[in-house]
Structure formats: structure tokens, C-alpha cells
Amino acid sequence: MSRVLIVEDEQHLAEGLRFNLAAEGYQVRLADTGEAALELLAGGSSAFDVMILDVMLPGKDGFTVISELRRAGQFIPTLILTARGHPGDVLRGFAAGADDYLAKPFELAILIARLGGLLRRREWLEARMRNVAAKPGPPDVFTFGDKSFHFGDLELRVRGQAYRLTLMEANMLSYLLQHDGKAVSRKALLEDVWGLHEDTDTRAIDNFIVRLRRYIEDEPAKPRHLLTVRGVGYRFVSSPAKDG
Ligand code: CA
């Protein structure tokens, strides 16, 4: 039985979700503030399998809650509920560490499908980690310069430092690595990585690039691997020329 934590201050909506998710076989716990959710998740416990997180909350908002959790090394798969599906909000949520999003008002069936998707990705990831641990031999690793990205555990290793990426950061980095040396447009990133079909406000994706650069560039302001392609988007280069 999967355990879901619902963080939602609208009591009516929270109770409705509790009822419907319980009917789907979920074990449900409600929290009506971000602070209450942080308390329930403190200590990195694995008391929950997945979290539904409202953005507009009294006190700490959903963006703050998710970024505090990620900073504390708590990687519970999280779907944020945004008031509008505005790409800026959605990307802000992903940049803060969310794994998926749904705009209000939403269809219950879609929410249940998205939760199922998050749980499957988590199971797949755990199975992959077990495989990597069980089988000696080369795990799924992409190496560039003195850095390596370990797909199995979503870890970026840079000279002895390991950074655990969120699912979405890992998806975005994987996408860029797969297109090594080729320019990819912001629109392609939005559509292929996030599944967003919007052609406005794609500049919001730049915040996400800033975040990845902090992990992979020695000097984030002078990127050598993750380059800006003016008027297009970005290009990942695994082996930049020695003198650029
Ligand atoms: Ca709310």
C-alpha cells in the first residue's frame, strides 16, 4: 500500500483527496501547512512514498517547502499543485526540486495517473540501484572532464563531491548529455523534458540551466560544458577545446 502525504490548506479539497485516494488503495495523511509537512518529514524518514504539495499555503509556501526538503537531502517524489499552469510557476517548482506538477482545477483521474507515474519511476530507480549494487562491472555512467553522472543513483560526482539530483534535474541533464555537441532549443527542452506544450515564457528554463551550471561548471559564469546558443537555447559539450 502506497503512503501519500497531502499538503493542502483548503480543507474541502484535502478531505476530498483523502477520500478518493483512500478508495484507490492509498494510505493518506493530511497536513494543512508547509511547517506541519516539514515536521512529518523531518529526519529523512521514509514514512511516505509520495507527496502532493499545494503551492499557495499559509506560512511557508510549497516552493519553500520543497527546496528546504531537497537541501536537507529528503528526496520524496513530489507533485506540486499550482493555481495556474503558468510555465513560470511550473519551472519554479521544478527548479525548487519538484518532480511533477498539476494545475488546479484538475481531474482526479489525472492526479491518480501522475502519482502512479511517480511511484513507478521511484520503483524503477530503486530496482536500478539494486542492480548496480548487485552487479560489479560498469554501471551507467557518463564521464566528462573530471565529472561523472551516475544515472543509476542520479548522482553527479565532481572531484570527490557527490550531488544528488532531483528526477527532473537528472532528466534534463540526461537529455543534454544525449545531445552532446548539438544545440537544443528551449522549446525542445520544455516539450521533451517537461512535457509542456507552451510556446511562451521559455526563458524561465534559464533558471534551471543556472542550477545545473552550479553543479557542473568550475566557473558557472564562464561555462565550458553547458553553453548558451544565442537565439536558440543551449549546447552541452562533453570535451571542450583546451583553450576557449
Ligand atoms: Ca492553497
Side-chain angles (χ1 to χ4, degrees):
M1 186 186 275
S2 296
R3 299 149 306 168
V4 57
L5 174 61
I6 301 173
V7 191
E8 171 60 70
D9 61 315
E10 283 167 60
Q11 209 185 348
H12 200 70
L13 177 55
E15 290 296 344
L17 282 175
R18 189 218 291 267
F19 177 82
N20 285 298
L21 290 177
E24 290 292 320
Y26 282 88
Q27 195 178 309
V28 183
R29 180 84 189 256
L30 300 181
D32 60 0
T33 64
E35 287 81 351
L38 286 169
E39 213 159 286
L40 284 170
L41 292 164
S45 77
S46 50
F48 301 97
D49 299 301
V50 68
M51 171 164 68
I52 298 171
L53 177 62
D54 185 28
V55 169
M56 302 288 279
L57 293 164
K60 285 181 181 172
D61 67 13
F63 297 135
T64 308
V65 171
I66 190 69
S67 50
E68 284 189 15
L69 284 172
R70 296 319 190 213
R71 266 205 305 279
Q74 165 59 267
F75 290 99
I76 180 171
T78 299
L79 176 143
I80 53 167
L81 292 177
T82 65
R84 301 151 292 146
H86 190 272
D89 282 352
V90 172
L91 288 164
R92 197 176 154 203
F94 283 135
D99 297 297
D100 203 355
Y101 82 100
L102 202 55
K104 287 180 174 177
F106 54 83
E107 296 279 335
L108 181 66
I110 302 289
L111 176 69
I112 289 166
R114 293 286 185 84
L115 287 183
L118 280 178
L119 290 166
R120 275 196 305 280
R121 264 187 273 170
R122 180 182 138 121
E123 275 164 28
W124 168 83
L125 177 64
E126 281 172 355
R128 232 170 118 157
M129 285 169 83
R130 274 196 300 274
N131 273 339
V132 169
K135 266 190 284 175
D140 260 337
V141 176
F142 186 102
T143 301
F144 55 104
D146 51 7
K147 300 148 192 97
S148 56
F149 181 57
H150 299 245
F151 291 92
D153 47 12
L154 307 189
E155 230 174 53
L156 188 70
R157 296 187 196 158
V158 183
R159 292 189 297 269
Q161 277 266 49
Y163 302 97
R164 168 79 191 256
L165 305 189
T166 68
L167 280 175
M168 294 310 296
E169 286 171 340
N171 284 347
M172 179 138 162
L173 185 59
S174 303
Y175 187 84
L176 289 163
L177 300 184
Q178 280 160 26
H179 294 81
D180 188 7
K182 299 191 191 97
V184 293
S185 67
R186 291 180 177 83
K187 191 164 186 286
L189 286 168
L190 274 180
E191 291 188 356
D192 296 346
V193 180
W194 280 287
L196 287 180
H197 300 282
E198 307 272 350
D199 38 22
T200 53
D201 210 17
T202 53
R203 283 165 305 163
I205 211 161
D206 301 353
N207 298 331
F208 220 88
I209 293 287
V210 167
R211 201 174 154 93
L212 284 179
R213 277 182 179 148
R214 271 191 227 131
Y215 295 129
I216 69 174
E217 299 290 353
D218 298 336
E219 291 180 80
K222 289 187 204 163
R224 292 169 57 79
H225 291 292
L226 189 41
L227 311 176
T228 300
V229 182
R230 195 179 286 270
V232 179
Y234 296 97
R235 187 204 325 269
F236 176 81
V237 181
S238 59
S239 316
K242 281 280 172 241
D243 253 88

